[in-house]
Amino acid sequence: MILGLAGWSGSGKTTLIKNLIPFLKNIEISVSTLKHAHEGFEIDKPGKDSFIHREAGANEVLISSNKRFALMHNYEKQEVRLKNLISKLSPVDLILVEGWKKEKIMKIEVFRKEINKPLLALKDKNIIAVATDDKDINIDNIEILDINNYKYIANFIKILIDKEKKLIVQLTQDSFAFGK
């Protein structure tokens, strides 16, 4: 399942992800994350061999150790689309996407009243829930989640995953029945 966490800068998306992942893992949900960064971010360091390879013009640099690897891919024209980035990840139960707030994927909005920005859920039909500490929010057909209750949010996500799995099984069974 792909689930976005959308919200304005400073709303707490990264904090929510950081605190949510251990609860998701505790209920046996495997998780990968995809984070949108601003233009020009660097994960490499000047002077390192991988940096030198990239600066010399390599299209891609893959750096690896006995614990992890990172693939750096440079492009000049257009940012890689979300679906293409997702295809590069290994299969997991849940891909949490931070950022890409305009992408047409199912999302939970992270909202804090004190940042003085409008609720995205009022205009984005892909938002199914709002994680917030604002007790005054009430939007039709949108689940309001306590931003500090990570266990509840993890269970909410588990229900979404279970519903998606049941739908896939049903569609598969229907297509086999149709083919008979």
Side-chain angles (χ1 to χ4, degrees):
M1 170 189 239
I2 299 164
L3 181 64
L5 287 180
W8 299 102
S9 180
S11 61
K13 298 179 299 291
T14 301
T15 300
L16 179 57
I17 289 173
K18 175 191 78 161
N19 290 311
L20 192 54
I21 289 173
F23 284 92
L24 291 164
K25 290 185 78 162
N26 194 43
I27 54 177
E28 299 182 6
I29 295 173
S30 57
V31 181
S32 288
T33 64
L34 232 161
K35 163 81 172 121
H36 191 263
H38 296 288
E39 188 177 326
F41 79 98
E42 288 289 344
I43 62 169
D44 216 357
K45 295 183 175 134
K48 293 294 185 182
D49 293 346
S50 53
F51 186 89
I52 293 168
H53 297 179
R54 198 166 45 87
E55 289 294 303
N59 290 343
E60 291 186 320
V61 176
L62 194 145
I63 183 167
S64 178
S65 73
N66 64 342
K67 299 214 184 241
R68 69 186 55 90
F69 76 88
L71 175 63
M72 292 169 279
H73 177 96
N74 292 318
Y75 45 89
E76 294 176 14
K77 294 182 181 171
Q78 187 175 347
E79 183 174 6
V80 178
R81 296 180 60 122
L82 179 61
K83 70 178 183 173
N84 298 92
L85 294 170
I86 288 169
S87 73
K88 296 185 180 302
L89 296 173
S90 300
V92 290
D93 299 317
L94 176 65
I95 298 171
L96 287 174
V97 176
E98 180 181 346
W100 282 283
K101 67 180 160 229
K102 294 180 181 175
E103 198 73 31
K104 291 180 177 16
I105 58 172
M106 184 170 42
K107 298 177 212 123
I108 294 175
E109 179 176 356
V110 181
F111 179 80
R112 293 200 187 270
K113 192 177 186 175
E114 58 268 16
I115 64 167
N116 293 315
K117 295 281 190 178
L119 267 164
L120 299 171
L122 298 174
K123 292 186 177 179
D124 186 342
K125 297 192 182 328
N126 296 295
I127 293 176
I128 57 158
V130 177
T132 184
D133 54 0
D134 187 344
K135 305 217 184 306
D136 296 328
I137 295 176
N138 184 9
I139 307 169
D140 288 343
N141 302 318
I142 302 282
E143 183 84 19
I144 305 301
L145 306 168
D146 178 349
I147 197 168
N148 298 306
N149 191 337
Y150 309 117
K151 184 176 182 179
Y152 184 86
I153 297 171
N155 286 319
F156 174 79
I157 292 169
K158 182 173 184 354
I159 290 167
L160 294 175
I161 292 169
D162 290 345
K163 283 180 183 177
E164 184 176 89
K165 284 180 182 175
K166 284 180 186 174
L167 179 62
I168 290 168
V169 167
Q170 183 63 47
L171 290 172
T172 304
Q173 290 171 344
D174 288 351
S175 77
F176 281 124
F178 183 73
K180 288 184 179 178

